[in-house]
Amino acid sequence: MTTKLNVNIDHVATIREARKTIEPSIITAAVICEQAGAHGITVHIRQDRRHIQDKDISLLREVVTTYLNVEMAANEEMLNIAVDTKPDAVSLVPENPNEITTEGGLDVLGNLENVRMAVNRLRETGIFASIFIDPDEKQIEAAHKIGAQQVELCTAEYAEFTLGAKSSHGEGFERANQELSRIKRAANFAKSLGLIAAAGHGLTYRNVGALAAIPEITEFNIGHNIISRSIFVGLNKAVKEMIEAVRNGSKN
Ligand code: PXP
């Protein structure tokens, strides 16, 4: 089975919001990503609306023909947006207003009833319910218990360690490998419970291959690295190169 790539286009909107203007258009970005072969488009509507705006979600819903995945906090305001616009999937994420980016997985165990209500609301509306969590068995079990259909495993730590892995002997290399094993075990466990396993956060052309070799991971959500590369090579090429990096990894 092909491992899917959803391109997170938040940072196209980050550039637009830097001037509060109309360009670059995230609609054009979504279309280019789809034409380049992306399996879906991911956006994160944050409480502070630092990049994606409410209107973007409605417009993307009209334009995206592949798969629209919206990341959001599990609260009333956000769930109302999901119910009104009906993306194909919602990924519930934790949110801290002062963070630069999402800092880790959602603590499902610690917020069981709130997350359960959110999952129920999504599923009643026919929206596929995913939860972004750390690669931890207890969290995966909790996500399963409250009816999530997918877990997106947080790869932030793995990604951090790969940045420090300058040689195949360094500490970063070992820690990245340990984290890789943890993600592999988590994906296996999720699958054994009947959950679909996705992964994302901090992934790059350089570090995605080892994760793509894990057959239980069937989907990646990748943003910053693709949008960064697109500045130099164009979005179409940047997306194609990431699809290729995922494909090469999954052959191993
Ligand atoms: N998955 C989730 C749940 C995220 O919150 C993010 C960042 O918005 C991503 C994937 C994409 O991370 P990156 O931009 O580092 O590729």
Side-chain angles (χ1 to χ4, degrees):
M1 202 174 79
T2 314
T3 309
K4 295 180 193 146
L5 172 68
N6 299 333
V7 180
N8 180 315
I9 57 172
D10 289 349
H11 297 305
V12 175
T14 301
I15 299 174
R16 182 193 63 194
E17 293 304 309
R19 286 290 171 92
K20 303 264 174 233
T21 180
I22 55 166
E23 57 190 9
S25 155
I26 64 152
I27 300 305
T28 308
V31 172
I32 293 173
C33 291
E34 288 190 316
Q35 283 173 348
H39 302 90
I41 301 298
T42 295
V43 286
H44 183 175
I45 179 154
R46 297 185 72 103
Q47 312 261 96
D48 62 11
R49 306 297 196 275
R50 67 176 75 160
H51 38 54
I52 297 297
Q53 309 296 310
D54 300 49
K55 199 171 158 208
D56 293 327
I57 307 282
S58 338
L59 289 172
L60 285 167
R61 177 62 300 177
E62 282 178 38
V63 168
V64 169
T65 57
T66 50
Y67 185 77
L68 179 62
N69 173 37
V70 179
E71 299 169 1
M72 58 175 60
N75 63 36
E76 183 75 18
E77 181 198 357
M78 291 297 152
L79 290 166
N80 286 341
I81 294 174
V83 170
D84 287 348
T85 51
K86 299 192 179 53
D88 298 289
V90 161
S91 301
L92 298 172
V93 298
E95 221 174 273
N96 160 5
N98 298 321
E99 68 194 358
I100 293 174
T101 180
T102 317
E103 282 170 341
L106 186 61
D107 178 11
V108 185
L109 267 177
N111 298 281
L112 208 62
E113 283 323 306
N114 184 43
V115 188
R116 188 200 301 273
M117 270 173 11
V119 166
N120 284 346
R121 191 133 182 244
L122 294 171
R123 292 198 62 174
E124 277 161 20
T125 318
I127 300 170
F128 186 77
S130 179
I131 310 181
F132 182 61
I133 53 175
D134 290 332
D136 174 296
E137 286 205 358
K138 291 208 161 34
Q139 294 290 351
I140 297 170
E141 230 162 29
H144 177 249
K145 193 166 142 193
I146 59 164
Q149 291 151 293
Q150 173 173 285
V151 285
E152 179 179 343
L153 302 170
C154 176
T155 55
E157 279 207 26
Y158 162 74
E160 274 290 307
F161 290 134
T162 62
L163 288 179
K166 291 200 175 62
S167 78
S168 57
H169 310 294
E171 193 200 349
F173 182 78
E174 253 178 49
R175 301 286 301 271
N177 269 337
Q178 282 166 9
E179 195 54 27
L180 194 62
S181 305
R182 190 159 90 102
I183 295 168
K184 196 174 184 152
R185 283 196 302 277
N188 232 295
F189 182 63
K191 193 178 175 196
S192 75
L193 296 178
L195 288 162
I196 294 174
H201 213 286
L203 298 179
T204 68
Y205 298 92
R206 296 171 297 280
N207 66 22
V208 76
L211 281 173
I214 302 173
E216 289 79 12
I217 297 178
T218 55
E219 178 188 293
F220 290 106
N221 289 290
I222 308 180
H224 187 269
N225 194 233
I226 299 175
I227 304 305
S228 301
R229 182 146 177 77
S230 78
I231 293 172
F232 304 114
V233 302
L235 187 54
N236 183 288
K237 190 162 190 291
V239 171
K240 284 194 165 128
E241 285 179 3
M242 189 59 87
I243 292 171
E244 198 52 26
V246 170
R247 192 176 296 142
N248 286 339
S250 60
K251 283 184 198 149
N252 294 324

